Amino acid sequence: MRVLVAPDKFKGSLSAAAVAEHLSAGLASAGIDSRKLPLADGGDGSVDAAVAVGFTPHPVTVAGATGTPQRGRIADNGTTAVVEVANTCGLATLPSGRTAPLDASSLGFGQAIGHARRHHPRRLVLALGGSAGTDGGMGMLAALGFTFSDTTGRPLRACGRTLPEVAAIDSSRAVNLSGMEIVIAGDVTNPLTGPHGAAAVYGPQKGADPAAVRYLDTGLDNLVEVFTRSGYRQARAVADSPGAGSAGGIGFAAMLLGARMVSGAEYFLDLLDFDGYLAGMDLVITGEGSIDEQTEHGKLLAVLARRAHPVPVIAVAGRNTLSRKQWAPAGFEYIHALGDYTDRNTAADPELTGELLTRIGRDIGRGSLLHNEGPR
């Protein structure tokens, strides 16, 4: 049997590469060789996935979410560069894990883009998952040469707290990104402002209470108005477009720079050459931390299953809430959850997660999960 092991990360527990390694080890213990393809969908782990298929990693030191130096990395292959929010200024870069909904900035992400430009890519892929703040992309733009000032002409720190104070925007010294294709790979469809916008929907996940959500939403609306007055006549239309609210509004800022939004799942499956890896395979094993109702609606695993058909796909998850009758319509031959093997919480236990993934890989190799016999 020829098996492709192509999982996403188990968020908070194991990287996609580690998940693939454990599943493959289990298959090997059952005498089955496999090929590994760690995946991502434009969220955190996107740079790691690119590196796993041959992109060159480049370490960078940038400003973390609240300004402390952060070691991250970008990846390129001579044509395409991948830069992600998560490993530069995302939630994971918050000191002691304390949220900073008003003070977190996307500055480090913009600095990473600056590093990527030095490799002269023709295409820049922006992976926006895992953001820590809601600054409308001010930080990113500041790193690229934009300046933001208040009514007195005083330069402002680029973060959510200063959004309502922005009175003037100067882009005369901004870096020239013309001639470079900029792609936002993601599945967020929220606009920048309003009840479905960046602050209202994602602010609470980043520590914003109701008052902070209102403050940020008002500030984002002000940012759009000032951009409009500063020569960006399309700013309001961009702010209202699907995806502008991604990563606390970085999507909006990127679109102002000419970026286009694409399906993160589809784009990364192409970028990582999933179809090439799939050729000649008899089975695909995929997985991620949680499989639920949202999985069927354009998420990576469902897109993968559709692309893999008619090759059968087995999915592995830390947690699965899909009923058995939903498996086949979602494209899965079988879904197995770590919770079927243990009563312990695996979400923050990488060692236990790894052990169970290896065991599941072994069971798949022996055929028990293909024939719906459940865990041994």
Side-chain angles (χ1 to χ4, degrees):
M1 177 179 285
R2 294 162 297 181
V3 179
L4 174 62
V5 180
D8 197 354
K9 63 190 173 297
F10 276 39
K11 194 167 186 177
S13 183
L14 291 178
S15 67
V19 173
E21 195 64 44
H22 284 293
L23 288 168
S24 294
L27 289 166
S29 70
I32 292 180
D33 291 329
S34 60
R35 194 175 185 190
K36 299 186 288 289
L37 178 63
L39 295 177
D41 62 359
D44 46 329
S46 294
V47 166
D48 288 344
V51 170
V53 296
F55 279 57
T56 301
H58 300 283
V60 297
T61 299
V62 299
T66 54
T68 56
Q70 168 69 22
R71 290 280 288 175
R73 63 178 183 170
I74 60 177
D76 91 291
N77 66 356
T79 301
T80 300
V82 182
V83 184
E84 71 175 59
V85 168
N87 76 13
T88 54
C89 59
L91 286 164
T93 74
L94 289 165
S96 304
R98 292 183 179 179
T99 57
L102 296 181
D103 295 310
S105 172
S106 59
L107 179 68
F109 183 62
Q111 292 170 337
I113 291 173
H115 285 287
R117 287 183 65 246
R118 298 173 190 170
H119 300 281
H120 307 290
R122 293 199 296 272
R123 182 180 304 107
L124 183 65
V125 180
L126 307 181
L128 302 187
S131 65
T134 308
D135 71 350
M138 276 179 68
M140 179 191 77
L141 294 175
L144 297 175
F146 284 69
T147 57
F148 301 85
S149 55
D150 63 14
T151 54
T152 69
R154 178 178 61 94
L156 295 169
R157 178 177 181 266
C159 64
R161 188 178 297 278
T162 63
L163 283 168
E165 301 176 54
V166 177
I169 301 170
D170 181 4
S171 60
S172 62
R173 295 179 180 85
V175 299
N176 184 6
L177 297 178
S178 63
M180 182 188 301
E181 180 188 6
I182 307 174
V183 176
I184 303 169
D187 58 11
V188 170
T189 58
N190 304 77
L192 181 64
T193 60
H196 304 292
V201 176
Y202 300 106
Q205 300 172 15
K206 303 171 186 180
D209 61 20
V213 166
R214 290 191 295 272
Y215 181 92
L216 290 167
D217 191 59
T218 299
L220 290 171
D221 193 65
N222 176 62
L223 184 69
V224 176
E225 289 299 319
V226 180
F227 263 115
T228 303
R229 295 200 306 266
S230 300
Y232 290 81
R233 296 181 179 178
Q234 79 279 27
R236 180 58 63 183
V238 170
D240 292 340
S241 64
S246 58
I250 296 177
F252 163 73
M255 289 178 187
L256 284 183
L257 296 177
R260 64 185 177 93
M261 192 95 185
V262 300
S263 161
E266 295 280 9
Y267 191 86
F268 267 83
L269 287 175
D270 288 338
L271 185 69
L272 304 176
D273 191 27
F274 173 75
D275 292 348
Y277 278 80
L278 179 67
M281 294 295 168
D282 301 303
L283 174 69
V284 177
I285 303 174
T286 189
E288 63 180 351
S290 178
I291 294 177
D292 51 35
E293 297 290 341
Q294 292 301 310
T295 302
E296 298 178 86
H297 302 289
K299 295 292 186 178
L300 178 61
L301 267 58
V303 174
L304 175 151
R306 187 174 67 248
R307 291 270 287 260
H309 186 77
V311 178
V313 175
I314 290 178
V316 182
R319 169 180 170 272
N320 168 47
T321 61
L322 290 186
S323 66
R324 185 60 179 268
K325 66 181 181 181
Q326 293 173 290
W327 293 4
F332 305 122
E333 182 86 8
Y334 195 92
I335 299 176
H336 207 72
L338 302 188
D340 294 333
Y341 281 77
T342 182
D343 293 328
R344 291 162 59 189
N345 178 19
T346 61
D349 191 336
E351 184 175 355
L352 178 59
T353 299
E355 291 173 1
L356 295 178
L357 288 171
T358 300
R359 183 178 171 188
I360 290 171
R362 182 203 66 196
D363 285 356
I364 293 173
R366 292 177 176 176
S368 65
L369 297 191
L370 279 175
H371 296 96
N372 301 334
E373 296 172 9
R376 294 182 176 181

